[in-house]
Amino acid sequence: MNTGSDRETNESAAGGAPAEPAEETPHVSKAPAFIKANRSLHLSWQVGVFIVGLAVIGAGIAMLVLPGPGWVAIFAGLAIWATEFAWAHLVLRWTKRKVSEAAQKALDPKVRRRNIILTSVGLVIAGALIGFYLWKYGLVLPWDIKDQ
């Protein structure tokens, strides 16, 4: 895993200006101050945040097979969890980095050309198979079937 200090070391070795190590601030709860002041109230707040995030993620998982923006809901639930839990914050940051890398890779001209060629070949093969089926058996709609 490439951390911020690794990147700074790499930038310094690459001939850039020596970067000062940036201290990463620890994850801090986004709960209001009066909630953080009381331990039991803060624990209740965290349980509530966990349940709401779990409900949003559960809805997102359901939307993967049902109509709806499943991945958006899953990432939204993870963002809800990231307001209170450091592990969710780290997972969300890792996910954002991977999505950015995938987007950059998808914009690469070689990858785009390959994807266009593969899609075109797939469409030609699918068209040929559909054409062969229609030539061999013809187009018979289900409500026109007489013999069963």
Side-chain angles (χ1 to χ4, degrees):
M1 184 166 88
N2 190 11
T3 62
S5 60
D6 293 336
R7 266 186 257 122
E8 293 164 1
T9 305
N10 294 340
E11 290 171 359
S12 298
E20 296 180 17
E23 292 184 27
E24 188 170 321
T25 58
H27 181 74
V28 180
S29 172
K30 304 287 192 266
F34 73 92
I35 290 177
K36 286 192 267 187
N38 185 341
R39 173 122 173 97
S40 62
L41 192 57
H42 191 233
L43 184 61
S44 300
W45 175 271
Q46 286 182 327
V47 168
V49 166
F50 183 81
I51 290 172
V52 169
L54 186 63
V56 172
I57 288 175
I61 290 171
M63 283 189 274
L64 289 175
V65 294
L66 299 172
W71 286 111
V72 173
I74 290 171
F75 294 136
L78 195 56
I80 291 170
W81 278 349
T83 63
E84 287 300 312
F85 305 109
W87 60 267
H89 184 74
L90 293 173
V91 170
L92 188 62
R93 190 172 8 159
W94 177 85
T95 304
K96 285 180 182 178
R97 189 175 66 243
K98 290 298 181 183
V99 167
S100 295
E101 289 172 7
Q104 287 299 324
K105 187 176 180 181
L107 294 175
D108 181 24
K110 289 181 180 178
V111 173
R112 288 186 60 159
R113 188 171 29 256
R114 183 199 65 205
N115 289 344
I116 289 171
I117 291 169
L118 289 175
T119 301
S120 301
V121 168
L123 288 173
V124 167
I125 291 171
L129 290 174
I130 291 170
F132 175 76
Y133 178 85
L134 290 175
W135 171 74
K136 182 85 171 162
Y137 301 106
L139 179 63
V140 179
L141 299 175
W143 50 84
D144 290 337
I145 297 176
K146 304 281 189 254
D147 300 326
Q148 286 188 352

